[in-house]
Amino acid sequence: MKNVINVFISHSVEDSKLAFTISETLKNLSLNQICTWFSSSPNPGEGISPGDAWFNRICNEISRSKILIVLLTPNSITRPWIYFECGVAQGLDDCKIIPICIGVNKSDVAPPLGSYQCYQLSDYDSASNFFKNLLKAIE
């Protein structure tokens, strides 16, 4: 069995359903070789639980991750926590940051996130291309 790859999904709470869909898709496509974590996950053992010190939990989960996927949507593109989480990941030696634009154009993403290769998810083909490239990158 291959090593499990930890992926942190940075998102706005308004995009929880989208984060859940991406999380479940990654798990299924990788045959559970990808372990995802996002703060609003409804799955047991995932997300922030009652009594968790959320700041510490988020920093800990990012530090364990090899990839941080940033969901950039109209709900999140200006949210400070999205940029904070990316800054934590940027400070790590071995964590790749991958912005995904959904409902916003890549050209709307200002630096520092605009300096990363962004994926535009707008239809089946772009989503398929993203997941294919992500799985290839972690193989």
Side-chain angles (χ1 to χ4, degrees):
M1 184 165 143
K2 291 184 176 183
N3 291 333
V4 172
I5 304 293
N6 291 317
V7 175
F8 185 98
I9 301 174
S10 180
H11 71 296
S12 170
V13 71
E14 291 88 0
D15 297 324
S16 293
K17 288 181 182 179
L18 178 59
F20 179 79
T21 299
I22 289 173
S23 172
E24 293 300 304
T25 301
L26 285 172
K27 290 177 194 176
N28 290 331
L29 288 175
S30 70
L31 303 176
N32 289 319
Q33 295 300 299
I34 294 176
C35 179
T36 59
W37 193 92
F38 61 103
S39 61
S40 65
S41 176
N43 293 336
E46 298 176 14
I48 295 178
S49 301
D52 278 352
W54 57 268
F55 180 83
N56 294 337
R57 181 74 191 268
I58 286 171
C59 290
N60 183 49
E61 294 297 335
I62 293 171
S63 70
R64 295 177 18 159
S65 298
K66 295 291 182 192
I67 297 173
L68 183 138
I69 294 175
V70 189
L71 299 183
L72 295 173
T73 69
N75 296 320
S76 68
I77 197 161
T78 60
R79 295 287 174 93
W81 273 103
I82 297 291
Y83 291 89
F84 171 80
E85 291 168 350
C86 291
V88 171
Q90 175 62 40
L92 301 173
D93 290 332
D94 197 22
C95 187
K96 184 178 284 195
I97 299 171
I98 304 174
I100 301 174
C101 297
I102 303 170
V104 297
N105 292 319
K106 290 192 291 187
S107 60
D108 295 333
V109 183
L113 284 178
S115 65
Y116 291 93
Q117 175 64 39
C118 294
Y119 284 89
Q120 184 81 52
L121 268 61
S122 55
D123 56 26
Y124 174 82
D125 289 336
S126 63
S128 177
N129 183 49
F130 164 72
F131 286 113
K132 180 179 77 176
N133 286 332
L134 180 63
L135 291 174
K136 188 185 302 181
I138 62 172
E139 201 168 30

